[in-house]
Amino acid sequence: MDSQAPIPPSPSKPIANIEVKAVLLLLLMLALIFGTVAYVLYARGAFESTQELVLLADDSEGVVAGMDMTFSGFPIGRVRRVELATGGNARILIDVPRKDARWLRTSSMFTMESSLVGNTKIRAYSGILTDPPLQDGAERTVLRGDTAAEIPKLVAMVKELTQNLIGMTAENSSLNTSLANVQSVTETLKGPGGTLKVLLGDEAKAKQFVTALERANALLLKLDGLAAKTDQQVFGEKGLLSDTQATVQQVSATLNAVRASLQKLDAVLVEAQAVASNTRAATTDLGALRAEVDSSLRKVGQLVDEINRKWPFARSVELKLP
């Protein structure tokens, strides 16, 4: 048998400067760890200049350190600590970056909303951005809106509403009575003379009202006939006005005749004064003229009497001669 002797292993070559390389690797890992921590702290605003805001609430349930305070959906602050005040209220300390503090004003409102599903949210609302900015360390009371706390109130309101609906829809309720009355009024309006029955409240009174209207219409018809007759008698072709106009024309003619007689009298008087010697002739002419004037005056008197008979409104008639 051929036997061979075992070959001894060759010795490994030592790594040069292994201690230095291990130290460098350890330093690199430490640098990476510190860099990561520094970046996380920087990203979370640990090195950013902030101002403090204190929110006072009667209950801080659901509020934890590190949660955000939002404005218009954007985080502008972070809860740093929650502590109990001496008065029994909760003090929520929030750090707000200086660059975001410009959104907070003295008139800003702060709310803390707790929903059935999800975490508690702290919101800030600034309606008037022209108000003075909020000071560092300012304390504000937060308005709390808890959905779970509103559920018992909502259930009580629904129960009360249901009871009211049951009472309104009952058989002898006021609503059903009102609807029945409305239906009765509607049926009455559909019948003959329904509007008058509804207005007057009784069928007998409605009939009386209709009768009164008919009598009033009949009276108006009579008055219209009487007015037509009056117009015919006064303003007709042979009416009182036509007779009066004819009488006035006769009076005017008579007055014209009297005026002419008086003018003749004036002429005779002038002639009498001019011819004083012929007194007998002038006297004869004066007697005839006097008789003519008397006749004219009698005619005027008869016309005046006829006017008084036909137009009885003028009782006193005075006739002045020139």
Side-chain angles (χ1 to χ4, degrees):
M1 294 177 60
D2 293 333
S3 60
Q4 293 180 356
I7 299 174
S10 59
S12 59
K13 295 180 180 180
I15 300 175
N17 302 323
I18 187 172
E19 294 84 357
V20 176
K21 292 180 179 180
V23 172
L24 290 176
L25 181 59
L26 182 60
L27 291 176
L28 180 59
M29 290 180 63
L30 291 176
L32 289 175
I33 292 172
F34 281 114
T36 303
V37 172
Y39 177 77
V40 171
L41 292 176
Y42 174 79
R44 295 184 64 86
F47 306 105
E48 191 174 13
S49 177
T50 60
Q51 73 176 39
E52 186 180 56
L53 172 64
V54 181
L55 298 180
L56 302 178
D58 55 355
D59 188 2
S60 64
E61 184 179 0
V63 180
V64 295
M67 67 181 301
D68 294 331
M69 180 184 70
T70 60
F71 175 82
S72 298
F74 295 91
I76 62 171
R78 183 174 291 107
V79 177
R80 175 164 49 88
R81 187 173 70 255
V82 180
E83 60 185 17
L84 187 62
T86 57
N89 295 329
R91 287 170 53 90
I92 304 172
L93 305 180
I94 300 176
D95 292 332
V96 181
R98 297 283 182 182
K99 63 182 182 64
D100 294 329
R102 59 193 179 94
W103 301 112
L104 300 180
R105 301 291 173 173
T106 55
S107 60
S108 298
M109 304 294 293
F110 302 92
T111 62
M112 185 168 59
E113 303 173 3
S114 299
S115 59
L116 294 176
V117 179
N119 298 326
T120 302
K121 298 179 181 179
I122 299 177
R123 303 178 188 271
Y125 299 93
S126 297
I128 305 176
L129 296 178
T130 56
D131 286 346
L134 193 64
Q135 299 297 326
D136 188 8
E139 293 186 358
R140 290 291 185 273
T141 302
V142 65
L143 303 177
R144 185 175 178 84
D146 191 355
T147 305
E150 297 294 332
I151 291 178
K153 297 181 181 178
L154 182 61
V155 172
M157 293 175 62
V158 170
K159 183 178 180 181
E160 184 179 0
L161 179 60
T162 304
Q163 291 178 354
N164 292 335
L165 288 175
I166 293 174
M168 290 174 61
T169 56
E171 184 177 359
N172 56 350
S173 63
S174 300
L175 180 61
N176 286 336
T177 304
S178 300
L179 291 176
N181 293 333
V182 171
Q183 185 177 3
S184 176
V185 171
T186 305
E187 294 295 334
T188 305
L189 289 173
K190 290 181 180 179
T195 305
L196 290 177
K197 291 180 183 179
V198 172
L199 293 177
L200 300 177
D202 190 3
E203 185 176 0
K205 292 182 179 179
K207 291 182 179 179
Q208 292 178 1
F209 184 77
V210 172
T211 303
L213 285 179
E214 291 177 352
R215 292 179 179 177
N217 291 330
L219 181 60
L220 289 176
L221 291 175
K222 292 181 179 179
L223 290 176
D224 291 339
L226 181 60
K229 292 180 179 180
T230 303
D231 292 339
Q232 183 65 27
Q233 292 179 358
V234 175
F235 302 101
E237 184 178 358
K238 296 182 180 180
L240 181 60
L241 185 60
S242 299
D243 295 341
T244 304
Q245 291 178 352
T247 305
V248 169
Q249 292 176 358
Q250 293 178 3
V251 169
S252 298
T254 303
L255 291 177
N256 290 329
V258 170
R259 185 179 295 109
S261 300
L262 292 177
Q263 289 176 355
K264 291 180 180 180
L265 178 60
D266 291 337
V268 171
L269 290 176
V270 171
E271 291 178 358
Q273 291 177 359
V275 185
S277 60
N278 196 3
T279 304
R280 181 177 298 176
T283 301
T284 304
D285 293 337
L286 286 175
L289 186 58
R290 180 68 178 181
E292 187 177 355
V293 170
D294 290 338
S295 177
S296 298
L297 289 176
R298 284 194 298 270
K299 291 180 180 180
V300 171
Q302 291 176 0
L303 288 175
V304 170
D305 294 337
E306 186 176 359
I307 290 174
N308 289 329
R309 181 176 59 82
K310 291 184 178 181
W311 191 266
F313 300 102
R315 295 298 181 182
S316 58
V317 180
E318 182 178 359
L319 181 63
K320 293 183 180 180
L321 298 176

